[in-house]
């Protein structure tokens, strides 16, 4: 991440991005009726920069902070131990010394005192479960509020933070519903995809990865090769091949309601209109994750925000490798090159509503979960008032400090403008989409106008 990494994400460009995501959280909490408990969940937190800026903005709202602390604080879904360490450093995390409910703190002396009969067996089972979860979950940390405020703040007041390996590990409080505010920024583009190509037989074969054979070992002429999107001669070890017949994935995932765009200059078309050589990408993992998110906010209440690089249709061949801020062959140096593919937001919308298809009303409209957008990142940030925030920050910088002034304004431009306006502009190519829900029997109010998806009044 960042200038020294393989790619730069929006939170690394400017603090404006993360701060406005924080305001989005507070605004939707307000729209839900200011519940006394709320929890923030981030999927794929990177270096923790977005969460730091998010909490800085949220720290100005005392009632929200109290609701966040009472609701369990922040949960970060991250599998990489190295990135977890970076996130703790970025957030300036401190150890929570208390043994409050929800923190894994084994009291060895208490265990010794209770080693008798049934208690002994119960404690042994409980300790094994705790030790198992400690390998995947990290609790007992907190973000000090004092780092965000100039005025006196109780230094012992911490926002609890814990790390999880999977989204389905997010706390599910059976006794009381705690609304979730979920943020997934540049996550879905990194999830696995399936690529399919129509052969001369009119069948959809799947693009697979194989070893790069010598000329003498290449497949026979009756086996088709993939369209030349990539030059496999650049890579000496791996190459793309087509399955000899349709695979289970192609039979299950491909539906005629897909819309693909073969090239930027060609119109969209359905799968039934495709011709030999046409390709389509589908992410089954993305479908499973968006359905899990949709189910959770439908049960708990809350909102989910997704910001990523993509379109409202299935891309032809967008898989790419990124290393040192340059595009490289996706099979080059496996494990050392970041892989990315365009997100199909239309697919995400359909998959988010799919679990509740039977609950749709007579007009076919789903009443349990609402989808807002997608809109461009530039539109979303403008609707969140980024122009006012950047003006306020510019006024705080001395006119003599031209370097800071230029860095702040250029960061603002990259976030909201298109590539053809400013180099590296993300405002048009990145999209934002939100899911909101209020369970029918809960006291939460329905979020009819989700922040960021309606123009500022």
């Amino acid at each position: 991440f960042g200038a020294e990494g393989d790619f730069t994400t929006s939170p690394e460009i400017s603090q404006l991005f993360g701060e406005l995501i924080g305001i989005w959280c507070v605004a939707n909490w307000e729209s839900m009726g200011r519940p006394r408990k709320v929890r923030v969940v981030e999927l794929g937190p990177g270096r923790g920069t977005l969460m730091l800026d998010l909490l800085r903005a949220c720290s100005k709202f005392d009632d929200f902070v109290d609701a966040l602390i009472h609701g369990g604080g922040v949960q970060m879904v991250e599998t990489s131990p190295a990135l977890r360490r970076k996130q703790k450093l970025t957030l300036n995390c401190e150890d929570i010394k208390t043994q409050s409910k929800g923190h894994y703190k084994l009291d060895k002396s208490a265990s010794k005192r209770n080693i008798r009969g049934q208690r002994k067996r119960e404690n042994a089972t409980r300790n094994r479960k705790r030790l198992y979860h400690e390998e995947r979950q990290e609790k007992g940390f907190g973000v000090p509020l004092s780092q965000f405020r100039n005025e006196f703040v109780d230094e012992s007041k911490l926002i609890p933070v814990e790390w999880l390996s999977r989204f389905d590990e997010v706390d599910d409080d059976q006794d009381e519903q705690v609304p979730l505010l979920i943020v997934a920024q540049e996550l879905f583009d990194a999830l696995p995809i399936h690529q399919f190509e129509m052969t001369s037989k009119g069948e959809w074969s799947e693009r697979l990865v194989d070893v790069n054979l010598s000329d003498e070992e290449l497949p026979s002429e009756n086996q088709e090769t993939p369209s030349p999107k990539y030059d496999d001669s650049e890579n000496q070890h791996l190459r793309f091949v087509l399955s000899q017949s349709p695979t289970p994935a192609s039979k299950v995932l491909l539906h005629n309601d897909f819309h693909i765009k073969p090239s930027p200059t060609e119109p969209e078309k359905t799968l039934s209109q495709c011709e030999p050589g046409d390709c389509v990408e589908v992410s089954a993992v993305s479908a499973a994750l968006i359905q899990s998110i949709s189910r959770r906010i439908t049960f708990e209440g809350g909102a989910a925000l997704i910001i990523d690089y993509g379109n409202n249709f299935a891309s032809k061949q967008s898989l790419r490798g990124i290393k040192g801020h340059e595009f490289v062959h996706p099979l080059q140096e496996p494990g050392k090159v970041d892989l990315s593919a365009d997100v199909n937001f239309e697919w995400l919308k359909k998959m988010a509503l799919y679990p509740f298809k039977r609950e749709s009303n007579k007009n076919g409209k789903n009443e349990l979960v609402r989808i807002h957008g997608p809109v461009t990142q530039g539109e979303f940030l403008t609707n969140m008032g980024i122009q006012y925030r950047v003006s306020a920050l510019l006024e705080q910088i001395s006119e003599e400090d031209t370097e800071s002034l230029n860095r702040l304004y250029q960061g603002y431009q990259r976030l909201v403008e298109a590539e053809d306006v400013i180099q590296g502009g993300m405002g048009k190519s990145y999209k934002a989409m939100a899911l909101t829900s209020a369970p029918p029997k809960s006291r939460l109010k329905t979020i009819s106008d989700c922040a960021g998806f309606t123009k500022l009044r």
Side-chain angles (χ1 to χ4, degrees):
F1 302 95
E4 297 179 358
D6 291 330
F7 56 90
T8 304
T9 60
S10 295
E12 307 292 338
I13 291 174
S14 172
Q15 71 182 74
L16 295 166
F17 187 86
E19 289 178 346
L20 290 175
I21 303 301
I23 299 302
W24 179 87
C25 289
V26 176
N28 284 296
W29 172 75
E30 292 268 3
S31 298
M32 288 187 287
R34 300 167 62 91
R36 70 184 189 89
K37 290 185 178 182
V38 72
R39 186 181 302 128
V40 172
V41 179
E42 184 179 4
L43 308 180
R47 295 197 301 189
T49 306
L50 186 151
M51 185 55 66
L52 179 69
D53 295 334
L54 183 156
L55 292 177
R56 182 190 303 112
C58 293
S59 68
K60 307 298 189 293
F61 303 88
D62 292 335
D63 291 344
F64 179 83
V65 171
D66 289 339
L68 186 59
I69 293 174
H70 293 149
V74 174
Q75 293 185 310
M76 313 268 273
V77 181
E78 177 60 67
T79 59
S80 168
L83 285 177
R84 287 187 180 189
R85 289 192 290 270
K86 287 183 180 180
Q87 291 154 14
K88 290 173 189 172
L89 291 173
T90 300
L91 296 173
N92 298 307
C93 284
E94 298 181 3
D95 289 334
I96 297 177
K97 302 301 181 183
T98 60
Q99 292 186 344
S100 58
K101 181 181 179 182
H103 295 136
Y104 285 128
K105 283 274 188 180
L106 295 180
D107 187 342
K108 295 182 179 178
S109 61
S111 296
K112 290 179 181 179
R113 290 194 300 269
N114 295 326
I115 300 181
R116 281 190 181 89
Q118 182 64 23
R119 266 185 195 177
K120 177 181 177 180
R121 291 190 294 272
E122 290 177 354
N123 286 341
T125 301
R126 189 180 301 114
N127 288 347
R128 282 197 300 271
K129 289 181 178 179
R130 286 177 176 175
L131 290 172
Y132 169 74
H133 285 294
E134 282 177 349
E135 296 178 358
R136 296 157 47 195
Q137 301 178 342
E138 294 186 66
K139 295 188 177 184
F141 296 94
V143 179
L145 277 172
S146 55
Q147 66 178 313
F148 301 125
R149 298 186 178 182
N150 295 325
E151 69 270 19
F152 174 76
V153 177
D154 183 359
E155 292 187 359
S156 64
K157 194 170 187 180
L158 305 175
I159 298 176
V161 183
E162 68 172 298
W163 279 263
L164 311 172
S165 295
R166 301 194 309 272
F167 176 71
D168 58 15
E169 294 174 354
V170 171
D171 286 346
D172 184 1
D173 194 338
Q174 299 293 337
D175 298 326
E176 182 179 0
Q177 291 179 331
V178 178
L180 302 176
L181 295 171
I182 302 169
V183 178
Q185 194 268 335
E186 290 198 51
L187 168 75
F188 282 86
D189 72 301
L191 297 181
I193 63 168
H194 293 270
Q195 284 188 339
F196 305 101
E197 181 174 332
M198 181 172 279
T199 66
S200 58
K201 300 177 182 179
E203 298 177 333
W204 286 100
S205 289
E206 186 170 3
R207 181 177 279 110
L208 307 172
V209 178
D210 193 9
V211 294
N212 203 2
L213 304 175
S214 63
D215 291 340
E216 293 78 11
E217 300 173 306
L218 287 174
S220 59
E221 294 182 0
N222 58 4
Q223 181 177 344
E224 299 190 43
T225 56
S227 299
K229 160 74 174 179
Y230 312 103
D231 181 6
D232 285 326
S233 63
E234 298 176 5
N235 187 280
Q236 297 181 357
H237 305 292
L238 301 173
R239 65 189 178 102
F240 289 108
V241 297
L242 287 181
S243 62
Q244 296 187 13
S245 60
T247 62
S250 66
K251 294 177 181 179
V252 172
L253 295 174
L254 293 184
H255 303 284
N256 198 44
D257 54 357
F258 269 96
H259 287 75
I260 69 170
K261 196 173 179 66
S263 72
T265 57
E266 295 182 62
E268 297 178 36
K269 58 184 180 181
T270 64
L271 295 187
S272 61
Q273 298 171 320
C274 289
E275 302 172 353
D278 283 340
C279 306
V280 63
E281 293 176 340
V282 185
S283 175
V285 177
S286 296
L289 178 57
I290 198 69
Q291 287 181 5
S292 296
I293 292 173
S294 186
R295 287 191 185 97
R296 284 303 299 269
I297 65 169
T298 301
F299 177 75
E300 305 279 358
L305 177 65
I306 299 164
I307 300 181
D308 226 314
Y309 188 97
N311 304 290
N312 282 331
F313 50 81
S315 298
K316 181 181 178 181
Q317 294 186 65
S318 68
L319 179 65
R320 51 194 169 266
I322 306 171
K323 186 175 183 180
H325 299 274
E326 299 287 341
F327 290 125
V328 298
H329 194 290
L331 299 182
Q332 177 180 317
E333 297 183 88
K336 297 182 180 180
V337 171
D338 283 291
L339 299 179
S340 174
D342 292 356
V343 175
N344 180 356
F345 281 93
E346 187 64 27
W347 167 252
L348 291 186
K349 288 171 63 175
K350 290 178 180 178
M351 292 299 101
L353 296 174
Y354 186 80
F356 315 105
K357 210 169 183 181
R358 294 181 179 180
E359 284 81 3
S360 300
N361 61 22
K362 294 180 180 179
N363 298 322
K365 186 177 180 180
N366 183 276
E367 298 292 345
L368 292 179
V369 60
R370 298 188 179 192
I371 296 182
H372 310 262
V375 299
T376 65
Q377 177 175 289
E379 289 179 80
F380 172 79
L381 294 175
T382 300
N383 291 339
M384 289 300 304
I386 189 173
Q387 60 275 32
Y388 303 113
R389 179 58 178 156
V390 73
S391 297
L393 290 175
L394 287 172
E395 290 178 0
Q396 298 175 18
I397 302 175
S398 170
E399 293 183 0
E400 288 76 23
D401 190 359
T402 56
E403 182 179 349
S404 296
L405 289 170
N406 289 334
R407 183 169 61 250
L408 177 61
Y409 189 70
Q410 288 174 1
Y412 159 73
Q413 283 188 306
R414 285 193 64 186
L415 291 175
V416 301
E417 299 290 357
E419 176 74 35
D420 55 0
V421 176
I422 180 173
Q423 185 177 2
M426 301 176 169
K428 190 174 181 180
S429 55
Y430 283 73
K431 309 293 189 302
M433 184 180 84
L435 281 65
T436 61
S437 180
K441 296 182 180 180
S442 73
R443 297 180 180 179
L444 298 177
K445 295 181 179 178
T446 301
I447 303 174
S448 55
D449 295 325
C450 185
F453 296 88
T454 55
K455 293 185 178 181
L456 285 175
R457 298 183 179 87

